[in-house]
Amino acid sequence: MFKPLMTAAALVLTAGAAAAETHEIEMLNRGEAGIMVFEPAYVKAEPGDVVRFVPTDPGHNVESIGGMLPDGVEAFKTKYNEAFELTVDEEGLYGVKCTPHYGMGMVALIQAGDAVNLDAARAVKQRGKAGARFDEIFANVE
């Protein structure tokens, strides 16, 4: 007698997991947008997708920016020269910075689904060139 390998619920879960995408952001000393940059600086993802930060050039890390995470997402900070994968499970905007180069404008923005925390993220006071850089990046938010 034939037995199904998976239940219908398991098939739905497996199909959902297979649909997740991986987006890559490089940490660079010099890129198309200038010096000390994340490229791309804006990623549009869906909840459940993974954003992989690649330390292409040495001396960089990834740290969340206070006030620029969706509700329920814990703050994070990596070591220098470390690849990092962030699963964007919650809908909203995720603001990140490179700790030593934040004032130089090394910031990025990830949008997972709808930008439900747009007003809160825009209201965060930025340091140095990060404010001008975020003004450019926020223009991409859908």
Side-chain angles (χ1 to χ4, degrees):
M1 176 174 202
F2 174 76
K3 290 185 180 180
L5 295 175
M6 291 187 185
T7 65
L11 279 173
V12 169
L13 289 174
T14 302
E21 283 188 56
T22 298
H23 308 268
E24 210 166 86
I25 296 176
E26 291 185 282
M27 299 180 251
L28 301 168
N29 292 340
R30 180 174 302 281
E32 290 181 25
I35 60 170
M36 304 305 171
V37 292
F38 289 108
E39 282 190 358
Y42 171 79
V43 168
K44 175 69 164 95
E46 292 302 321
D49 284 358
V50 173
V51 179
R52 178 182 299 133
F53 292 86
V54 180
T56 305
D57 293 326
H60 304 291
N61 77 326
V62 181
E63 180 179 0
S64 57
I65 298 174
M68 293 186 76
L69 291 175
D71 287 340
V73 175
E74 288 188 34
F76 52 86
K77 182 177 181 179
T78 69
K79 295 179 182 177
Y80 296 108
N81 309 316
E82 182 176 275
F84 174 63
E85 288 191 352
L86 172 67
T87 302
V88 290
D89 287 325
E90 299 298 326
E91 195 167 61
L93 298 172
Y94 295 68
V96 298
K97 65 183 177 182
C98 171
T99 308
H101 303 115
Y102 173 49
M104 295 175 74
M106 191 167 178
V107 295
L109 190 67
I110 301 158
Q111 179 179 347
D114 291 332
V116 296
N117 58 332
L118 177 60
D119 292 338
R122 278 189 179 272
V124 174
K125 183 169 172 54
Q126 304 296 337
R127 189 176 63 165
K129 293 181 180 178
R133 185 79 172 119
F134 267 126
D135 286 344
E136 295 169 12
I137 297 169
F138 273 116
N140 296 298
V141 174
E142 300 172 0

